[in-house]
Amino acid sequence: MGKSSSASAAGSKKRKSKSGALTLGEVKTLGEELLSSRAHLNHAPTLLALLSPSAPLDLALEALISLQSFFVPLLPSIPSASADVAGVDADPELVFRSWLRKRFDELVAALVELALSPRSDEAIRDLALDALMDFVKSGKDGRFQSAIYHKFLHNLIHATDSIDPLLELLGPKYFKYADVCYFTYTSLDKIASSVGNKSTGSEKSGLHSGDDGSEDRSTIYVRNIYNTLAHIPTLDLQESKFDMWSTVGLSSKGKKNSSEDCSATYINKKLKSKFSKAWISFLKLPLPLDVYKEGLRDFLTRSYDIGGVISVMALSGLFILMTQHGLEYPKFYDKLYALLTPAVFMAKHRGVFLQLLDACLKSSYLPAYLAAAFTKRLSRLTLSVPPAGAIIIIALIHNLLRRHPSINFLVHWENGANDSEPSNESSQRKKVGADPFNNEECDPTKSGAMRSSLWEIDTLRHHYSPAVSRFVASLKNDLTVRAKTTEMRITDFSSGSYATVFRDEVRRRIKQVPLAFYRTTPICLFQESDFPGWSFRDQLKNKSETSVEGNGISTVYTSDSSPAKKLRLET
């Protein structure tokens, strides 16, 4: 064993001294000879010695390309683990494969070092990452080589230098594939559990600020885990087909995927499971204070981007971070605008959402176009929401018009009043019955609200619910005179429903009770004057009738020769 080790060390020294004098042409020749015949296998260790961050860039790039071309075709035949093969009677093929395994492990280790080292040039780092990911998908039968990928991620998380440059390469290129995300979550779950088990008792006790600059290795590992998770984009789990990096997909074992295992439903289920396990394992770790805050912000913003009820629930946390802790979220109002749908007014948490909506639109610094877009969007919603929803929308619009006098033109806008060019008066004037507002547009700047009006509010004066038609009268006041008006408390209306509207209407004391008064006894349910073109007459029963038709008019006679009273349509 000692003799073999001494020979190996001597060979390594010889390679190092030789590599220092190699030229680019000689490295190319070594690569070509290695790819041409097994007789030149000893060129592989010489080329491996060039894969170092300190080696000349052109030589390292040429050596990496040659070694990648050499190992990719042989990868399916390389044994999964290196085994010591000795003896005179050993099978030469087994000896060759064992030698390949050891050299391949050295290559993977060198590629990981090149990818992670801060001394590596950007070109060699990019090529090393591509070579690693090429090996990951080149397993037997096209299976994902999870062992190689796990080794890479393990070194990534345990790196003490910044991993941001590598993550910037890894994210856009490879995290868009479902199987890469799946095995990333799987490895991070294992690594996070391992880091948690190795943490000391004091490290597990609470949050760490890290302000003193003395961070232990466990804290660095936690930051690296979080940064990696944060760079994985949110996949659209509603897709019917997912892009895969490897041929087989999520399978990394000997078993082949069935058609059921390749279905979008199966992939969706597996991704959700691994995603949850990875994040739960991470959240169990002793998080530094800044990572805790960043993780909370990331979680809330991603939840807010999902839409629907989840966004409504995330809005409260985001609002607190923005108003009390200075969080900047540029697309906040665009997302809030997109949440205004009829479904929100029937959701379980609609009360909290509507109160937060009113608070988010309270600032006097809100641009006029945004205030107008939200006001118009709410106005359009009154046509499709329940009566309780229409009442709270009226309260919200009342507050918006009072806070932002610059949008009061929406209440009354005459045709041609705002035309800037008299010569184009006919083209600029709004068409009667045409609304330039686009309710389907999710971008408030493109909605056309500034050229519209609140005509929907006028229709509420004839709403079928008396509570709505009475309450809309509050918008008749001049809301620009703030001294004579007060804001409405949204909390007083946010819990409304059909039951509350009906209960309030039943309890309401009516001063004047309408009575049914008829000068003559009515003989039919409707009068002919109520429906022009129709006539309503009673049909006598138990009498023989004869129908005579002529000129499109049907006349019915009874046996006593008097016209019978019958409902008929005159044409």
Side-chain angles (χ1 to χ4, degrees):
M1 182 69 179
K3 185 176 180 181
S4 174
S5 176
S6 176
S8 176
S12 176
K13 185 176 181 180
K14 182 178 179 181
R15 285 197 304 271
K16 287 183 180 179
S17 62
K18 183 179 178 181
S19 65
L22 287 176
T23 63
L24 181 60
E26 292 174 337
V27 174
K28 288 183 178 180
T29 302
L30 290 176
E32 292 171 357
E33 291 178 352
L34 176 64
L35 295 172
S36 63
S37 172
R38 285 191 180 185
H40 303 287
L41 290 177
N42 287 332
H43 291 344
T46 305
L47 295 174
L48 282 169
L50 294 172
L51 298 184
S52 170
S54 59
L57 179 61
D58 54 346
L59 301 185
L61 288 172
E62 187 62 36
L64 196 160
I65 294 172
S66 298
L67 289 169
Q68 181 181 1
S69 303
F70 173 72
F71 277 102
V72 165
L74 299 174
L75 195 57
S77 62
I78 296 178
S80 57
S82 59
D84 292 334
V85 181
V88 179
D89 298 333
D91 186 356
E93 189 63 27
L94 292 178
V95 174
F96 170 66
R97 291 186 180 182
S98 178
W99 180 88
L100 277 179
R101 179 77 249 181
K102 292 179 181 179
R103 301 293 82 78
F104 181 72
D105 290 340
E106 293 175 6
L107 174 60
V108 170
L111 292 176
V112 170
E113 182 184 6
L114 286 172
L116 293 173
S117 176
R119 296 176 295 143
S120 297
D121 187 87
E122 184 177 352
I124 193 69
R125 180 185 293 116
D126 195 356
L127 191 59
L129 178 61
D130 290 343
L132 272 172
M133 297 306 296
D134 200 15
F135 293 146
V136 163
K137 73 171 183 179
S138 300
K140 187 176 181 180
D141 299 328
R143 287 193 296 272
F144 195 97
Q145 295 290 319
S146 58
I148 299 174
Y149 191 62
H150 179 77
K151 184 182 297 183
F152 164 64
L153 286 180
H154 183 273
N155 284 273
L156 176 72
I157 299 303
H158 289 80
T160 55
D161 297 306
S162 174
I163 62 173
D164 290 340
L166 185 57
L167 289 176
E168 293 299 329
L169 292 174
L170 188 63
K173 278 179 127 179
Y174 299 106
F175 283 161
K176 61 184 178 180
Y177 298 105
D179 53 349
V180 175
C181 292
Y182 174 84
F183 288 106
T184 302
Y185 289 136
T186 302
S187 294
L188 291 179
D189 176 24
K190 297 177 182 178
I191 296 170
S193 300
S194 176
V195 171
N197 293 333
K198 293 178 181 178
S199 299
T200 62
S202 60
E203 292 170 347
K204 293 180 179 180
S205 58
L207 301 176
H208 306 281
S209 63
D211 295 336
D212 56 356
S214 58
E215 288 188 338
D216 53 41
R217 289 182 176 271
S218 296
T219 303
I220 297 175
Y221 302 159
V222 170
R223 293 184 190 279
N224 289 343
I225 294 174
Y226 170 72
N227 288 336
T228 306
L229 286 171
H231 275 79
I232 303 177
T234 303
L235 295 177
D236 186 1
L237 298 180
Q238 304 301 324
E239 289 286 341
S240 58
K241 185 178 180 181
F242 292 91
D243 293 331
M244 296 292 177
W245 177 243
S246 61
T247 305
V248 177
L250 301 188
S251 175
S252 65
K253 308 225 169 142
K255 141 176 145 165
K256 291 185 179 179
N257 280 354
S258 62
S259 58
E260 181 180 352
D261 292 344
C262 296
S263 66
T265 304
Y266 172 81
I267 297 173
N268 187 348
K269 180 180 178 181
K270 299 293 286 184
L271 276 174
K272 282 183 178 179
S273 174
K274 294 300 181 181
F275 171 86
S276 301
K277 289 180 179 179
W279 274 101
I280 290 174
S281 297
F282 164 72
L283 293 174
K284 290 179 180 179
L285 297 174
L287 304 181
L289 188 58
D290 60 329
V291 173
Y292 191 91
K293 291 179 180 179
E294 184 67 19
L296 181 61
R297 182 201 66 81
D298 186 67
F299 173 75
L300 289 175
T301 52
R302 288 198 182 193
S303 300
Y304 190 56
D305 290 341
I306 291 175
V309 179
I310 296 178
S311 294
V312 173
M313 298 172 68
L315 177 61
S316 177
L318 267 181
F319 181 73
I320 293 175
L321 290 178
M322 292 175 64
T323 56
Q324 300 180 17
H325 301 281
L327 173 68
E328 294 184 2
Y329 187 56
K331 296 292 184 180
F332 177 80
Y333 282 103
D334 291 357
K335 298 292 183 182
L336 184 62
Y337 182 81
L339 287 177
L340 293 178
T341 60
V344 169
F345 292 85
M346 292 174 279
K348 181 179 180 181
H349 303 281
R350 63 183 180 275
V352 177
F353 168 74
L354 294 170
Q355 293 173 38
L356 288 171
L357 174 64
D358 183 62
C360 293
L361 301 175
K362 187 171 288 187
S363 174
S364 58
Y365 296 102
L366 196 69
Y369 77 88
L370 265 182
F374 276 93
T375 304
K376 179 61 181 179
R377 180 93 164 193
L378 288 168
S379 178
R380 182 61 60 87
L381 284 172
T382 59
L383 304 179
S384 55
V385 298
I391 290 175
I392 195 170
I393 287 178
I394 295 171
L396 288 167
I397 292 177
H398 177 279
N399 291 345
L400 283 168
L401 292 174
R402 185 177 181 276
R403 294 167 187 165
H404 308 282
S406 59
I407 65 170
N408 271 267
F409 66 87
L410 294 174
V411 178
H412 182 69
W413 193 345
E414 295 181 356
N415 277 345
N418 290 350
D419 293 344
S420 57
E421 298 181 8
S423 59
N424 295 333
E425 184 177 353
S426 59
S427 61
Q428 295 290 335
R429 183 177 297 146
K430 295 187 298 181
K431 295 181 180 180
V432 177
D435 190 349
F437 175 72
N438 183 6
N439 194 46
E440 303 299 324
E441 177 60 55
C442 295
D443 187 352
T445 61
K446 302 177 182 178
S447 62
M450 293 290 286
R451 296 180 289 112
S452 184
S453 64
L454 303 182
W455 59 264
E456 298 91 348
I457 300 300
D458 185 64
T459 65
L460 297 183
R461 296 190 299 109
H462 308 285
H463 198 276
Y464 69 88
S465 174
V468 176
S469 59
R470 285 194 306 269
F471 191 56
V472 77
S474 63
L475 296 180
K476 291 183 178 179
N477 302 325
D478 187 1
L479 299 178
T480 59
V481 184
R482 297 174 62 89
K484 296 183 180 180
T485 58
T486 58
E487 283 200 0
M488 293 186 176
R489 293 179 55 189
I490 302 302
T491 53
D492 297 338
F493 311 98
S494 57
S495 59
S497 62
Y498 277 110
T500 58
V501 171
F502 179 78
R503 182 190 62 207
D504 294 341
E505 195 66 25
V506 170
R507 292 178 179 177
R508 183 171 174 269
R509 297 183 62 180
I510 303 176
K511 296 180 180 179
Q512 295 181 352
V513 179
L515 299 176
F517 177 76
Y518 302 98
R519 294 184 181 277
T520 58
T521 304
I523 60 174
C524 60
L525 184 60
F526 301 106
Q527 300 294 331
E528 292 187 6
S529 60
D530 295 335
F531 298 90
W534 291 79
S535 62
F536 302 89
R537 298 184 182 180
D538 296 334
Q539 177 178 342
L540 299 180
K541 297 181 179 180
N542 300 324
K543 293 185 178 182
S544 59
E545 300 177 351
T546 304
S547 176
V548 178
E549 298 182 1
N551 298 326
I553 301 177
S554 176
T555 305
V556 179
Y557 293 91
T558 61
S559 58
D560 56 0
S561 300
S562 62
K565 297 178 180 179
K566 180 182 179 183
L567 174 66
R568 62 175 182 168
L569 173 63
E570 298 180 357
T571 57

